[in-house]
Amino acid sequence: MPVAPPAPIQLLDLPAQHAPLQAELNAAAAICLHEAAFIQGPAVGQFAAELGQYLGGPHVVPCANGTDALQLALLSLKLPAGAEVIVPAFTYVATLEAAAVLGLRPVPADVMPGTFNLDPQAVAAALTPRTGAIMAVHLFGQCADLQALRQLADQHGVSLIEDNAQAIGATFQAEDAATWVAGTVGEVGTTSFFPSKNLGGFGDGGALFTRDAERADYLRQLANHGQTRKYHHQHIGLNSRLDTLQATLLRVKLPHLPVWTAARQRVAARYDALLAGLPGVAVPARDPRSTHVFHQYTLTIADEPGRRDALQQFLAARGVPTAVYYPLPNHLQPAYEYLGYRAGQFPVAERLCRTVLSLPIHPTLTDEQVAYVAAQVRAGLE
Ligand SMILES: *Cc1c(COP(=O)(O)O)cnc(C)c1O
């Protein structure tokens, strides 16, 4: 087996993804620069309408980034200071940062070892009379248990927020046979157009989703200094708008998202076929009710000290870049020490931080490259 890839392998290859669209992107950008309507230009509303259509009809409120979207979602709930917000113990820091920065209290709940998503039983155990919201994250591209989480939120009279930065376009089969679209099941859903996301912009960007027209208006105001019209401020808001230039370029990319998602799913299916049953490694578990849009393809390596890190080095030496999302759980980060949690309180999340390894997955990865990556993973585990 050769120890150099058939062609250089990248974790993320935006130039390759953009190459076929380059002329169209350049033309759209040139018009935008010429028109000079940089803030709240027509492309922003057009992009919001097109994304709403793609997601099956929620209102879409664009904003400056995915972290602001989470903050705006929480602001729209008007929770009292110190209210508790249940968050996954295994997620990107932004999920709980948004709550913390608003003076709300992030309350981690442990996740499930196979899907990496919130464990509804842990959420049920974390609910208190002070809980204001449950924040679900559809981690790596697969829906959290929306059925159970929606039910828990309704039973306890709290709101559900979906952090859908990683799972745009994923769907969930509800018990009543309805198809739910990730990000549109909670009172508010959020997403990010950070360049590496499945629908990435050319800089920062984000959006909120809601099926409630009144809440959409409120969110739109909150994202623009709380103003109802220019210089009339009804609420304390944020300056968090999606640039016209970003909306312009995202409009070019959006129609290609289904094809890119299908390409990611094909790569994942090939990894599955080539790696399933390999001792000492688990391929990402699927919830049969959810589609998976594979923002990441994340292996779990048997929990022996240093094994995951050794495999990562072995792969790097053979031209296979990998990443660890995430190496340190948020409850053990210095910034969140004040919450008072200790190592051992969220054992699944803590173990995942030692055992997960994400392989390259993007729409332009070739079959040969995928086969090479899988062969090197096998070799590295022998
Ligand atoms: C990327 C991401 C965010 C933050 O998005 P930004 O646009 O970078 O602010 C929040 N939550 C999750 C799960 C993410 O992956």
Side-chain angles (χ1 to χ4, degrees):
M1 176 45 77
V3 291
I9 296 172
Q10 256 97 47
L11 258 186
L12 177 70
D13 195 348
L14 292 176
Q17 187 185 30
H18 294 157
L21 305 177
Q22 201 63 55
E24 205 184 335
L25 289 166
N26 290 349
I31 293 171
C32 180
L33 297 187
H34 179 74
E35 290 179 347
F38 298 120
I39 304 294
Q40 308 286 56
V44 178
Q46 287 160 350
F47 171 64
E50 288 157 4
L51 183 56
Q53 205 161 25
Y54 172 68
L55 296 174
H59 302 274
V60 173
V61 179
C63 67
N65 58 69
T67 308
D68 277 7
L70 290 165
Q71 255 193 68
L72 289 161
L74 285 168
L75 275 174
S76 81
L77 302 182
K78 301 180 180 168
L79 299 175
E84 295 173 358
V85 178
I86 297 175
V87 297
F90 186 65
T91 180
Y92 183 53
V93 70
T95 317
L96 67 163
E97 186 182 40
V101 86
L102 292 175
L104 303 169
R105 187 174 174 84
V107 175
D110 216 344
V111 298
M112 296 183 290
T115 62
F116 315 119
N117 277 325
L118 263 180
D119 180 347
Q121 283 185 319
V123 173
L127 281 157
T128 75
R130 294 175 303 280
T131 306
I134 299 168
M135 281 174 114
V137 179
H138 305 311
L139 202 69
F140 303 150
Q142 179 168 236
C143 293
D145 187 342
L146 279 170
Q147 187 83 51
L149 295 173
R150 183 66 272 177
Q151 203 171 328
L152 277 171
D154 290 341
Q155 278 167 358
H156 292 265
V158 304
S159 299
L160 176 65
I161 292 178
E162 297 172 77
D163 177 347
N164 197 29
Q166 300 189 2
I168 192 138
T171 60
F172 184 92
Q173 211 59 50
E175 260 162 28
D176 64 1
T179 299
W180 289 349
V181 178
T184 72
V185 178
E187 273 68 15
V188 195
T190 68
T191 199
S192 163
F193 306 120
F194 186 85
S196 66
K197 304 289 157 115
N198 287 24
L199 179 60
F202 297 75
D204 281 310
L208 296 118
F209 315 131
T210 178
R211 296 206 171 268
D212 175 346
E214 235 172 89
R215 189 187 296 277
D217 280 340
Y218 184 37
L219 287 168
R220 223 168 268 121
Q221 291 162 12
L222 286 174
N224 193 20
H225 297 293
Q227 69 184 23
T228 42
R229 57 197 169 93
K230 212 167 169 66
Y231 306 123
H232 293 260
H233 304 277
Q234 191 75 30
H235 320 286
I236 298 175
L238 268 61
N239 173 6
S240 184
R241 299 169 298 227
L242 183 68
D243 289 344
T244 309
L245 184 59
Q246 293 303 335
T248 298
L249 297 170
L250 284 164
R251 287 188 75 201
V252 175
K253 289 186 76 172
L254 176 61
H256 301 275
L257 182 58
V259 173
W260 290 332
T261 299
R264 286 173 180 276
Q265 289 165 336
R266 257 198 317 280
V267 171
R270 284 188 62 78
Y271 276 142
D272 275 359
L274 295 166
L275 295 173
L278 193 60
V281 58
V283 301
R286 312 300 159 70
D287 181 333
R289 298 166 298 174
S290 178
T291 62
H292 198 320
V293 300
F294 288 101
H295 178 58
Q296 299 298 338
Y297 185 92
T298 303
L299 298 176
T300 316
I301 311 300
D303 193 5
E304 293 165 32
R307 188 111 195 271
R308 186 267 315 269
D309 296 347
L311 177 63
Q312 185 171 36
Q313 280 166 21
F314 179 92
L315 292 173
R318 285 155 183 78
V320 178
T322 58
V324 173
Y325 308 112
Y326 299 94
L328 185 62
N330 293 311
H331 66 279
L332 301 179
Q333 302 275 0
Y336 297 95
E337 233 169 68
Y338 77 96
L339 294 172
Y341 295 103
R342 293 176 316 281
Q345 282 186 280
F346 304 99
V348 179
E350 291 167 24
R351 190 167 64 246
L352 288 173
C353 289
R354 294 190 302 269
T355 57
V356 288
L357 190 65
S358 295
L359 299 182
I361 189 162
H362 53 76
T364 54
L365 215 54
T366 65
D367 284 357
E368 292 72 30
Q369 288 174 318
V370 172
Y372 176 82
V373 172
Q376 296 311 320
V377 171
R378 281 181 171 273
L381 287 170
E382 267 162 13

